[in-house]
Amino acid sequence: SPLSDRIETEVETSLNLIQKFMEVPWSAEHLASLDASVFCLAVVSANKARLVVREWVTAPVRSSLQNLMRYVEGLHIIGPRGEEARAFAINDIMETLRGSNPNIVHGLLRTAYLGYPVPSGVLESAVRRMRVVAHQSSDNFRKAREYHIIASAAKLAMTYGEKEAETLQELDINRDNPAYLCGRLLAVLEEVQQRASNFKLNVTVVERYFGAASTSPITVFPGLLRLAETAHLPKLRKKGFGSQNMKMLIQDICAQLDKQFPATLTLKEQGEFMLGFYHQRAFLEKERADRAQVRTAVQV
């Protein structure tokens, strides 16, 4: 039948198409035409039986492309298991952040196409949503995706238009920001706890302490470090689960902190904490996956 002979094609998302368009090499002739061309965008919404134009954006095509490149670079961040860095569409971001504020949507559109500053509500929404997701007990695909999108939104809000938009796409072991280091440390302590229990815990230190650790580190980390030293690391030594590497990593992070945990963290510092936690966790997840792949190859 005609239906059985139908050719199926993979439809790319508009964001992927935009990225490919930005990567096309332009000749001098094409650049001149970009300067002379105007990009137009209509933002519409339904109002009973009518469509209402909420916003009308016009800008030279070349400047729009430059703004888009800056915007996408701000969003780019490594995947939750170390996958290649990527960005997300505005509707994905708003759905994950559980945001219903139309001003944030319009603000992100202006950032993307006109180069406006990122709306102030993005970072606050990302920090709040990360706390909620971190306290959820299930660690399935949906939770990993939410982590990815939330971290992407936070990174955009914190690094848009800055050099850090490129350097903070993945773990930066040289970043000495105390809040970033605290986030890294929490991810390492969770890894130690998980290994000690053969990854069979009902509740991890992240699910129990993320909120307190990301707002008032000094109230949480001394106790978590004692717990790791007395309960979790000894189990790793007995099982041969890389206790020495984990201990050295903890010591390295604590040395950079000089054992001075911040009393409280501002909103931006909480964003730093989130990125440190997310980056370190993704790095550890990728290491674990790589080790499993090597073991499988050896067995074959």
Side-chain angles (χ1 to χ4, degrees), residues 94 98-103 105:
M94 297 305 296
R98 303 291 195 268
S100 58
N101 186 346
N103 292 328
V105 177

Side-chain angles (χ1 to χ4, degrees):
S1 68
L3 286 178
S4 62
D5 296 333
R6 182 178 59 188
I7 298 176
E8 302 243 348
T9 58
E10 183 178 348
V11 179
E12 293 189 86
T13 64
S14 57
L15 189 58
N16 288 336
L17 291 174
I18 289 173
Q19 289 179 246
K20 286 188 175 182
F21 182 61
M22 291 187 296
E23 293 167 0
V24 171
W26 300 98
S27 65
E29 179 183 352
H30 288 142
L31 289 175
S33 65
L34 287 179
D35 289 330
S37 303
V38 176
F39 170 81
C40 300
L41 173 68
V43 181
V44 300
S45 65
N47 184 5
K48 296 183 179 179
R50 297 176 297 174
L51 283 178
V52 178
V53 177
R54 299 295 183 184
E55 191 160 356
W56 176 252
V57 174
T58 60
V61 170
R62 188 172 183 179
S63 67
S64 291
L65 281 175
Q66 291 170 340
N67 292 332
L68 275 169
M69 291 173 68
R70 193 180 304 116
Y71 174 78
V72 172
E73 185 178 53
L75 284 169
H76 257 98
I77 194 167
I78 195 169
R81 294 181 175 87
E83 305 95 332
E84 184 178 356
R86 60 161 296 186
F88 292 92
I90 291 176
N91 60 325
D92 290 326
I93 294 172
M94 297 305 296
E95 180 181 355
T96 301
L97 298 185
R98 303 291 195 268
S100 58
N101 186 346
N103 292 328
I104 293 181
V105 177
H106 294 172
L108 287 174
L109 286 169
R110 296 187 192 107
T111 301
Y113 293 103
L114 298 176
Y116 283 27
V118 179
S120 58
V122 172
L123 182 57
E124 182 180 358
S125 298
V127 167
R128 183 176 63 247
R129 185 60 190 160
M130 181 65 96
R131 287 199 211 107
V132 174
V133 175
H135 285 297
Q136 294 172 349
S137 58
S138 60
D139 193 9
N140 50 23
F141 174 80
R142 178 180 176 181
K143 184 173 181 178
R145 174 177 165 80
E146 286 184 313
Y147 270 138
H148 197 180
I149 297 175
I150 295 167
S152 175
K155 176 177 173 286
L156 172 69
M158 296 172 61
T159 69
Y160 175 70
E162 304 290 339
K163 174 68 175 176
E164 292 169 326
E166 180 180 353
T167 59
L168 283 181
Q169 291 187 20
E170 58 186 356
L171 179 64
D172 183 357
I173 61 174
N174 297 315
R175 190 169 185 80
D176 59 0
N177 182 287
Y180 186 83
L181 291 167
C182 285
R184 288 184 59 196
L185 183 58
L186 184 64
V188 174
L189 292 174
E190 179 194 41
E191 178 74 9
V192 170
Q193 183 194 34
Q194 290 274 40
R195 290 188 188 186
S197 65
N198 291 319
F199 295 88
K200 295 179 181 178
L201 286 173
N202 292 324
V203 180
T204 69
V205 292
V206 168
E207 292 156 2
R208 181 168 293 174
Y209 296 110
F210 187 91
S214 63
T215 54
S216 182
I218 198 171
T219 64
V220 173
F221 280 106
L224 292 182
L225 287 171
R226 284 193 299 272
L227 183 64
E229 185 65 37
T230 59
H232 302 147
L233 287 171
K235 290 182 180 179
L236 295 193
R237 281 194 291 271
K238 291 179 181 179
K239 298 176 180 179
F241 284 177
S243 64
Q244 190 61 28
N245 290 338
M246 288 291 100
K247 186 172 183 178
M248 289 177 62
L249 184 53
I250 291 171
Q251 290 175 344
D252 180 61
I253 295 173
C254 288
Q256 292 183 73
L257 277 165
D258 197 23
K259 294 187 178 179
Q260 297 296 317
F261 294 105
T264 58
L265 298 181
T266 64
L267 178 62
K268 186 174 182 180
E269 288 170 338
Q270 290 175 50
E272 285 275 358
F273 182 98
M274 283 172 48
L275 290 182
F277 167 76
Y278 179 82
H279 284 157
Q280 185 67 62
R281 205 172 195 246
F283 181 85
L284 292 169
E285 289 277 0
K286 186 175 188 305
E287 271 196 333
R288 190 183 310 120
D290 290 344
R291 286 195 301 271
Q293 189 174 14
V294 170
R295 286 195 300 270
T296 302
V298 170
Q299 291 171 359
V300 173

